[in-house]
Amino acid sequence: MRTEQSIQTAACVWSLGLLLFLGVPASAQRVLAPEPPVSAEAVSVQSCDVQAVLQDLSQADVVYLGETHDSAADHEAQLQIIQALHGQNPRMAVALEMFQRPYQSVLDQYLAGEISAEELRQQSEFDQRWGFSWAYYEPILEFARTHNLPVIALNTPTEITRRVANKGLGGLLESDRQWIPPESEIRTDNDQYRQMLQEVFAGVHHGHGNGGSFDNFFLAQVLWDETMAEGVADFVAENPDHQVVVLAGRGHIVYGYGIPDRVARRLAGAEFSQRSLLLHPPEDLVNEDSAEGVVIADYFWFLE
């Protein structure tokens, strides 16, 4: 994803009026792209042509739309981007953090028209397991069903994440393992990611958390990421002609630490590309320095 910076930079300066058919009015959007710093200079942010960015996204095998879960504007933008990309390539799948793996069959029943949206909501235990507004996601699910798009339930079951957060991998039940990657694929060796999450953990616990509890917290987060990455990578490997659009919290996407780098590791040697967008990020994220020359995301996307 990072090696194609020149392509992304070009996408920010081209004026491609012929791409208006993609369906998202440029006047309604604002897109910025961070560029890796030169030497010790701070990250610079460049304004982009919306249609050119959409064209760049349409060429990627995987596109990540990093959301804030309770932001209505983020979900409106997600639907618009999905619609625009589908207009360019109808062979698309939507991968969702919002649904947990054991409920893939329920999603499939909804997509096949066998159950209603309300039945999907109830049978997937959406309100208990996700907890954010169903209304944010229903239009995206409806678009997928109308256009016969696969939808992938990515998330680790809540009870598994809790067990790992409390007791580490030793707390797993044998029945849990069908829903998660093998332990050998749960990689905790990204020191930058560990440091980033340690700061989050310290903020939440006001410095009162102990080292052991943070280790389990970090392990649970990585398990969450690895499970979602496995779902994306498996679909890409089995369906190389499809583009996958991933909807997940931006914490799973920034710098590639959560899902993107773990997808890339699983597909090492394959020819594929990824793009990441953060939707309506706060100013401090837009202006945040890079992590050792790696930008936080490929694009920042705003609805005006």
Side-chain angles (χ1 to χ4, degrees):
M1 179 166 63
R2 320 284 184 208
T3 60
E4 302 177 10
Q5 186 67 32
S6 60
I7 298 175
Q8 296 158 27
T9 301
C12 292
V13 296
W14 293 338
S15 177
L16 299 180
L18 68 150
L19 295 173
L20 290 173
F21 72 91
L22 284 172
V24 176
S27 61
Q29 320 293 333
R30 180 167 61 97
V31 183
L32 305 175
E35 295 186 323
V38 177
S39 181
E41 296 178 8
V43 170
S44 62
V45 179
Q46 184 177 11
S47 181
C48 302
D49 177 85
V50 173
Q51 304 302 337
V53 170
L54 287 169
Q55 174 64 6
D56 181 45
L57 297 180
S58 74
Q59 304 304 308
D61 298 288
V62 184
V63 175
Y64 300 92
L65 305 182
E67 66 174 54
T68 298
H69 300 315
D70 60 356
S71 168
D74 283 13
H75 304 301
E76 182 181 349
Q78 287 169 336
L79 179 58
Q80 289 186 8
I81 293 167
I82 288 169
Q83 290 170 330
L85 294 177
H86 180 263
Q88 180 75 349
N89 178 12
R91 293 183 300 278
M92 172 188 286
V94 181
L96 298 176
E97 179 191 3
M98 301 81 211
F99 289 88
Q100 297 177 2
R101 277 186 161 185
Y103 301 97
Q104 181 66 57
S105 62
V106 182
L107 262 175
D108 292 341
Q109 290 175 55
Y110 166 77
L111 295 170
E114 297 170 3
I115 62 174
S116 67
E118 185 58 32
E119 288 171 319
L120 168 62
R121 179 180 181 179
Q122 293 174 0
Q123 293 179 31
S124 67
E125 302 179 8
F126 180 91
D127 294 317
Q128 300 92 324
R129 291 178 176 273
W130 185 242
F132 295 96
S133 174
W134 172 259
Y136 290 153
Y137 303 98
E138 186 174 9
I140 295 168
L141 292 165
E142 183 178 350
F143 182 85
R145 181 162 75 167
T146 299
H147 295 279
N148 298 312
L149 307 184
V151 178
I152 308 165
L154 289 182
N155 212 338
T156 314
T158 304
E159 48 270 45
I160 295 178
T161 306
R162 287 177 180 162
R163 274 195 277 275
V164 173
N166 288 329
K167 299 182 178 180
L169 295 177
L172 289 171
L173 305 177
E174 191 58 37
S175 59
D176 294 339
R177 298 183 187 277
Q178 64 184 307
W179 306 117
I180 61 175
E183 288 189 29
S184 61
E185 295 180 12
I186 302 170
R187 296 274 294 274
T188 60
D189 54 354
N190 186 323
D191 292 337
Q192 290 80 20
Y193 195 28
R194 175 180 285 273
Q195 177 62 35
M196 186 178 82
L197 289 180
Q198 197 149 29
E199 293 170 5
V200 172
F201 182 83
V204 170
H205 293 274
H206 306 291
H208 298 303
N210 59 55
S213 62
F214 169 73
D215 286 343
N216 286 341
F217 167 81
F218 180 59
L219 185 58
Q221 179 76 16
V222 169
L223 174 62
W224 195 344
D225 294 326
E226 294 282 17
T227 301
M228 292 194 286
E230 181 183 62
V232 174
D234 286 353
F235 187 90
V236 171
E238 294 168 8
N239 303 273
D241 60 337
H242 278 61
Q243 181 177 60
V244 181
V245 179
V246 180
L247 275 55
R250 65 179 179 228
H252 295 287
I253 293 169
V254 292
Y255 297 111
Y257 293 160
I259 307 172
D261 288 354
R262 298 170 198 276
V263 170
R265 189 189 80 227
R266 285 175 164 80
L267 296 175
E271 291 187 9
F272 89 111
S273 62
Q274 305 186 94
R275 292 287 183 271
S276 60
L277 286 77
L278 300 186
L279 303 167
H280 309 97
E283 186 175 350
D284 60 332
L285 279 187
V286 172
N287 297 315
E288 184 170 315
D289 289 341
S290 66
E292 298 186 354
V294 178
V295 293
I296 193 169
D298 296 313
Y299 299 110
F300 305 130
W301 184 282
F302 302 87
L303 287 175
E304 291 297 303

